[in-house]
Amino acid sequence: MEGMTSSALGSPMRHDRLLSALAAWRLPVEGVEPLPGGRDSTAWLVRAPGGARYVARLSGAADAAAFTSGLRVAARAGRRGLACGAPVALPDGRPAAELPEGVLALLEYVPGTVPDAGSPHDLRRMGAVLGRAHRLLADAVDDLPERLRWPWPWASACLREAPMPSHVRRAAARVLDEAREATPLLRLGVVHGDPGLGGFRLSDASPARDGLVGWDAALHAPLLYDVACVAVLTRDTPRALRHVLDGYRTLDPAIVRDLDHLDLFVRVRWAVTAIHYARERQRRGSEVGEAALAEAYAGMRG
């Protein structure tokens, strides 16, 4: 799903089938091993001769357009020097291969450690990476289809079509309307869309090589949206957001002006969460996400 995509993958890809698909890149492969693919895809670590490593990611066909646009964003960020897991192009220039199982991409491997939520130093580095990514992608809106651009036609379509309780639908619609009305006061750009701690890689060599991977949920939006995502995703760690913002401000001091609207965009993030789980219900059954929808509704109400 745009914003927080959810793949409709079928059974896991067999090992022999994966190796056959990877042959399209014409790279020698010594071995593959499963990685935690998260919510949105199936992922493998791919080992090549000489110690080279890559990440293969398979996204469900239902999310192919969003996944592919995220690859374009990552490719641009990579060309501009961000360690972001940029796609390795196929010999014909395509960023991914279309398969019966979905869309397969081969990504550059980004070494490093995930930030420690209890470490102010790590969190400041995380914030600096996010600020750098926003700066590098300020003009990248053309990499995204119109529906993923603010004011988010995709969200309006989901609110019309995805099954959710009427009170949740109304709350999400109100929050999005408020955010759209605030647009003239905010700076827009391309955002990561789901910047949890697990997407960041802190380099052992230098903070200049710190990275941010997993651009499947990339969107055009107020830059504040990513900050609000961090606020929600680190809500169980007191003062985590403060340290992230300290790091962000080293790259973009102007973010301070946007923070007047942070509470609103925290509610926007909860609206996106509600849409995500409503689509999960639509795909997998009505029993999915009941508690999560209730939590999202509470978040939208502040």
Side-chain angles (χ1 to χ4, degrees):
M1 183 190 76
E2 296 83 356
M4 274 200 325
T5 183
S6 172
S7 296
L9 293 171
S11 57
M13 181 178 280
R14 297 194 318 271
H15 183 270
D16 59 339
R17 173 64 180 140
L18 175 61
L19 290 176
S20 175
L22 289 172
W25 276 267
R26 301 178 187 170
L27 291 173
V29 174
E30 287 189 340
V32 296
E33 57 190 81
L35 290 171
R39 178 188 58 249
D40 307 331
S41 63
T42 300
W44 299 266
L45 178 66
V46 178
R47 299 186 183 276
R53 290 176 291 179
Y54 303 90
V55 172
R57 293 192 67 179
L58 177 70
S59 179
D63 300 309
F67 182 68
T68 303
S69 65
L71 294 176
R72 289 196 297 269
V73 170
R76 183 186 294 263
R79 290 194 298 270
R80 294 177 175 180
L82 183 69
C84 61
V88 178
L90 286 156
D92 62 6
R94 288 178 298 148
E98 296 181 6
L99 307 172
E101 298 89 346
V103 179
L104 182 70
L106 186 66
L107 311 176
E108 296 175 359
Y109 178 82
V110 180
T113 57
V114 173
D116 179 350
S119 167
H121 176 71
D122 282 10
L123 294 170
R124 285 192 290 270
R125 286 176 66 172
M126 172 179 159
V129 175
L130 187 61
R132 183 178 176 218
H134 286 172
R135 185 176 65 184
L136 290 172
L137 295 170
D139 62 349
V141 63
D142 289 343
D143 291 329
L144 297 169
E146 190 67 34
R147 73 178 187 284
L148 299 185
R149 302 179 192 178
W150 190 256
W152 291 355
W154 70 269
S156 297
C158 287
L159 286 177
R160 289 193 302 269
E161 300 163 5
M164 65 178 71
S166 58
H167 66 284
V168 177
R169 191 187 312 276
R170 289 193 299 270
R174 283 194 299 269
V175 168
L176 288 169
D177 285 346
E178 287 182 51
R180 288 159 176 161
E181 289 172 5
T183 299
L185 303 174
L186 299 167
R187 297 170 304 142
L188 303 178
V190 172
V191 300
H192 181 274
D194 197 25
L197 271 71
F200 291 85
R201 299 291 184 271
L202 304 185
S203 171
D204 294 334
S206 166
R209 298 184 182 179
D210 290 348
L212 175 58
V213 302
W215 288 85
D216 309 35
L219 294 163
H220 177 245
L223 299 180
L224 189 60
Y225 178 71
D226 266 353
V227 177
C229 291
V230 172
V232 172
L233 295 169
T234 63
R235 63 190 181 279
D236 294 330
T237 305
R239 294 183 293 279
L241 180 63
R242 185 186 74 182
H243 300 306
V244 172
L245 284 171
D246 285 345
Y248 192 106
R249 282 194 292 265
T250 65
L251 274 293
D252 182 10
I255 192 64
V256 173
R257 295 197 298 270
D258 293 339
L259 294 179
D260 287 344
H261 300 276
L262 179 58
D263 287 347
L264 170 58
F265 275 83
V266 165
R267 291 189 287 127
V268 172
R269 170 63 184 206
W270 283 116
V272 171
T273 300
I275 291 171
H276 166 70
Y277 282 106
R279 289 191 64 186
E280 284 289 280
R281 286 160 60 102
Q282 187 175 34
R283 290 175 176 179
R284 295 169 50 197
S286 60
E287 76 284 356
V288 174
E290 292 285 354
L293 276 173
E295 183 184 34
Y297 178 69
M300 286 187 285
R301 290 172 60 85

